[in-house]
Amino acid sequence: MGPQAWSTEYLGQKKVLAVAENLQMINSATDVKTHLSRWKTSMLEDKKATEWGVVFCCVDSIETRKHIWLGNKADIHFWVDGRMAGEVIRVVTAVDDMSFMNYPATLFSEGEAFQGACTTQSTVYSASLAAGLMVSQFAKWLRDAPIDTDLTFSIGSGELTPT
């Protein structure tokens, strides 16, 4: 509960339902659709990420990232992928032909993924920083400002590195 910043009222509840409830509390006009299953390609019935073609990819599995990317890439105008390994954050963004072409090179097999202790995988302060970096990329895109397509931030060393 603590590492993911959930209060005890959500103990035992599915995370997707807790997120939906929180979004509705923040803005009751929000149209939230939930799926109580792992992501599958068959969920892409309308084949559009959103009216804007915007995807914030925040999943735990590199394999799931691949499936979401492959199933949606034709309809995406802005893609941002937040990844965490303890106190190291990586944000990969695709917004143009070059970055869309380069994104697949950032994917790897599940076996190559960093395997850390559970407490290092889900730290709320790391997730908050990742979310901030992802939203800043989106804000730049909305303003037609230059975007950093691959950022790595190490909390321990305090270094933000464009790749």
Side-chain angles (χ1 to χ4, degrees), residues 69 73 92-107 149:
W69 171 257
K73 66 181 179 179
V92 184
T93 309
V95 295
D96 56 25
D97 290 342
M98 183 64 81
S99 56
F100 274 91
M101 211 167 54
N102 290 335
Y103 178 77
T106 72
L107 300 170
T149 58

